[in-house]
Amino acid sequence: MENLQWRLFPVLTLVASFLFLLYFRESSELSQSVCSLLPYDHYWMTGKRVVTPQGVISGAVEIKDGNIISIVKAEDWRKKSKTVPVIDYGEAVIMPGLIDVHSHLDDPGRVEWEGFPSGTRAATAGGITTLIDMPLNSYPSTISTETLKLKIEAAKKNIYVDVGFWGGLVPENAFNATALEALLNAGALGLKSFMCPSGINDFPMTNASHIKEGLSVLARYKRPLLVHAEIQQDSESHLEVAHGKNDARSNSTYLKSRPPSWEEAAIKELLTITKDTRSGGPAEGAHLHIVHLSDASSSLDLIKEARNNGDSITVETCPHYLAFSAEEIPDGDTRFKCAPPIRDGANREKLWEALMEGQIDMLSSDHSPTEPELKLLNDGDFLRAWGGISSLQFVLPVTWSYGQKYGVTLEQLASWWSERPAKLAAQHSKGTIAIGNHADIVVWEPEMEFDLNDDHPIYIKHPQISAYLGRRLSGKVLGTFVRGNLVYKEGGHAPAACGVPILAK
């Protein structure tokens, strides 16, 4: 009997190993099917317009276990042995997924405004594969290790794209280097501050002293400080609005209340500090990034001069400043209210010129939604309505559609929306279709037009507050891949939210 047991032991071991491997494979396949609309994690995608750092090629990209492992041109692809599945996208564009470094997803605490699930589903439908969430509009604001932990917990299993987090620089923590270091050590990718009232009670404005202290801490981590650059000026037009002398339903009234001089004053003050970021300066290693620039006149000239002097500084603008002009905004249509405001058509032309010439480094959505009631759509009061453009799903087709007039190329889109944002957020495995990078990819058809109306699938929580509704756009997203998972294709999302919270190390 004992001999029989010993003879059976190898057989039983073999059977147990087989059952374990079978279980493991089935579990792996189940996990893959939940996270992706594809049943496999090793495959090729081919197309005639693949946007790479070396230019647009006709070729193929090999993806395995979430990463890009091979890129070949069409002539070399024909010689390859096709032992794994192939997805042929033909004439569609295969481009690095968009990285939006400026988005408010309002989670936790204000999920009735947006929230991680709806916001990141909308992102995938727009070709965005990575979001960096702003520290305010959620509650509480992300200004400490404790509040960052709350945000990370809220994101887990609720995000369809990878999501990183900016921490907040506020008067409460600005002079406390230990607190700022703790926030950065906990994974914040950098800090964000306001030079004017933010509209959020637990995120008060900072001044030049706070910003200087923040930069000195960030220098040791080589991470950026993002700044909302407006300083309130008591100009004659502002005082007229404050005293109720203008029609609150008119966009021109709101425009008067936040003139370009506010941006210019803030940038002038910032540049007294950014000289410290020069080589050999006390804040060398720190970097200042000006968010959502609206003024294309003197503000840009100041930034250009500072960069020529060696200051470490970049600047972004947003699609709504490039698509709309103040003259086109109807009275009472508060969907268009944002801060800084949308300025006139001449300013818009200058913004495009600066973007095309490289004076503006990148684009971001500044997706800033709220509940429809706070937009005061019925009252149409520009002075009291919540300011923010709801745009996350539309930034790729908007940039492309309005950029055609200026000759925007696919390579420029990839630079503004992927490569440069990846560099700002220190995401070195993202931003380009390159061997070793995450397979974060958007596939889209630039020539395909569509009407953004009630029949178009929209995934942001409150579509009715978006200023883009009613527009005819070019550039339809066919599929979005995050770390090799097909998380969105026309008509649907992957069953599970398998995006990864991004924490700085």
Side-chain angles (χ1 to χ4, degrees):
M1 184 68 179
E2 187 175 333
N3 289 337
L4 178 62
Q5 287 176 332
W6 279 110
R7 284 197 298 270
L8 287 174
F9 183 76
V11 177
L12 293 172
T13 303
L14 185 63
V15 170
S17 300
F18 173 76
L19 291 173
F20 174 79
L21 289 171
L22 182 65
Y23 170 79
F24 180 82
R25 189 184 71 179
E26 288 179 348
S27 299
S28 176
E29 287 176 354
L30 177 63
S31 174
Q32 182 70 22
S33 68
V34 167
C35 295
S36 177
L37 295 168
L38 295 177
Y40 36 78
D41 62 4
H42 184 193
Y43 57 94
W44 287 88
M45 66 169 67
T46 63
K48 296 181 179 178
R49 291 186 286 182
V50 182
V51 183
T52 75
Q54 291 74 40
V56 180
I57 66 168
S58 176
V61 180
E62 185 179 8
I63 294 163
K64 184 178 182 182
D65 298 329
N67 294 320
I68 297 168
I69 65 169
S70 179
I71 303 168
V72 295
K73 292 184 178 179
E75 53 269 28
D76 299 319
W77 163 247
R78 286 188 282 272
K79 304 171 190 173
K80 284 274 184 181
S81 173
K82 283 72 170 182
T83 58
V84 297
V86 178
I87 310 170
D88 183 11
Y89 282 110
E91 297 288 345
V93 170
I94 298 172
M95 196 172 86
L98 279 64
I99 298 175
D100 186 2
V101 295
H102 189 155
S103 187
H104 300 269
L105 295 182
D106 313 320
D107 206 343
R110 290 192 176 97
V111 294
E112 67 275 13
W113 291 18
E114 188 65 85
F116 284 127
S118 62
T120 57
R121 280 165 64 91
T124 66
I128 296 169
T129 54
T130 302
L131 289 170
I132 316 297
D133 192 34
M134 281 293 168
L136 70 160
N137 296 9
S138 52
Y139 183 79
S141 292
T142 311
I143 58 173
S144 66
T145 54
E146 294 76 19
T147 51
L148 177 58
K149 286 175 184 174
L150 290 175
K151 184 154 291 231
I152 295 167
E153 285 303 311
K156 286 178 180 176
K157 298 183 180 179
N158 282 316
I159 52 177
Y160 287 82
V161 302
D162 291 352
V163 177
F165 313 96
W166 302 119
L169 178 72
V170 293
E172 177 185 330
N173 61 20
F175 295 109
N176 186 339
T178 302
L180 290 179
E181 288 168 357
L183 181 55
L184 294 167
N185 288 335
L189 299 179
L191 301 175
K192 163 75 182 292
S193 74
F194 270 69
M195 298 181 76
C196 60
S198 72
I200 299 295
N201 290 336
D202 66 344
F203 205 94
M205 61 184 279
T206 53
N207 59 31
S209 298
H210 300 128
I211 291 169
K212 187 178 180 73
E213 291 298 318
L215 281 175
S216 68
V217 173
L218 286 162
R220 299 194 286 276
Y221 290 80
K222 292 184 168 50
R223 297 183 203 169
L225 174 64
L226 288 73
V227 180
H228 180 128
E230 286 184 289
I231 291 180
Q232 184 171 322
Q233 305 285 294
D234 288 329
S235 63
E236 185 177 340
S237 60
H238 172 72
L239 291 173
E240 282 181 8
V241 172
H243 294 148
K245 294 183 179 180
N246 298 92
D247 178 11
R249 284 181 52 83
S250 171
N251 179 62
S252 63
T253 297
Y254 176 60
L255 197 56
K256 286 180 185 177
S257 75
R258 295 184 94 113
S261 60
W262 284 30
E263 292 186 79
E264 181 183 354
I267 290 168
K268 277 183 177 177
E269 189 157 312
L270 284 172
L271 297 187
T272 66
I273 306 163
T274 57
K275 65 180 186 297
D276 291 347
T277 66
R278 297 173 190 170
S279 179
E284 182 183 359
H287 179 80
L288 189 128
H289 180 72
I290 294 171
V291 299
H292 53 45
L293 183 79
S294 171
D295 171 38
S297 54
S298 52
S299 294
L300 269 175
D301 292 335
L302 291 167
I303 294 166
K304 184 177 180 180
E305 182 180 355
R307 289 207 274 215
N308 288 340
N309 290 332
D311 296 19
S312 184
I313 182 170
T314 49
V315 59
E316 70 184 46
T317 193
C318 306
H320 44 272
Y321 299 125
L322 300 170
F324 306 131
S325 67
E327 302 94 321
E328 301 166 356
I329 298 174
D331 286 351
D333 197 346
T334 53
R335 295 177 305 157
F336 292 88
K337 181 183 176 180
C338 57
I342 295 165
R343 306 199 187 279
D344 62 28
N347 185 82
R348 177 179 60 186
E349 292 298 310
K350 289 179 180 177
L351 280 176
W352 271 112
E353 182 180 331
L355 181 63
M356 296 296 288
E357 292 178 354
Q359 293 182 55
I360 294 173
D361 300 278
M362 67 192 77
L363 297 174
S364 76
S365 73
D366 190 16
H367 176 65
S368 185
T370 187
E371 295 179 281
E373 294 76 14
L374 294 180
K375 268 296 193 182
L376 303 180
L377 298 175
N378 293 329
D379 296 341
D381 188 327
F382 273 93
L383 299 182
R384 294 190 302 113
W386 175 262
I389 303 292
S390 189
S391 61
L392 197 56
Q393 185 176 332
F394 319 126
V395 292
L396 174 56
V398 166
T399 307
W400 180 252
S401 300
Y402 288 91
Q404 291 306 287
K405 172 183 175 183
Y406 305 93
V408 167
T409 66
L410 296 173
E411 294 97 323
Q412 286 173 317
L413 276 184
S415 175
W416 300 333
W417 274 114
S418 304
E419 188 170 358
R420 290 177 181 174
K423 184 177 180 182
L424 177 71
Q427 296 305 298
H428 306 301
S429 295
K430 297 181 181 291
T432 58
I433 293 179
I435 294 172
N437 275 6
H438 294 158
D440 294 348
I441 292 170
V442 56
V443 181
W444 61 294
E445 292 188 339
E447 294 79 21
M448 185 176 288
E449 296 186 344
F450 61 95
D451 293 310
L452 198 53
N453 54 28
D454 293 338
D455 295 327
H456 188 82
I458 298 175
Y459 299 99
I460 55 176
K461 184 158 283 185
H462 302 293
Q464 67 269 39
I465 68 171
S466 178
Y468 293 110
L469 281 185
R471 303 279 162 163
R472 186 166 182 80
L473 300 174
S474 296
K476 194 168 188 178
V477 173
L478 303 181
T480 302
F481 296 78
V482 178
R483 298 184 188 240
N485 289 325
L486 178 59
V487 296
Y488 169 83
K489 67 177 180 181
E490 279 188 284
H493 292 80
C498 299
V500 177
I502 302 170
L503 302 177
K505 294 181 174 65

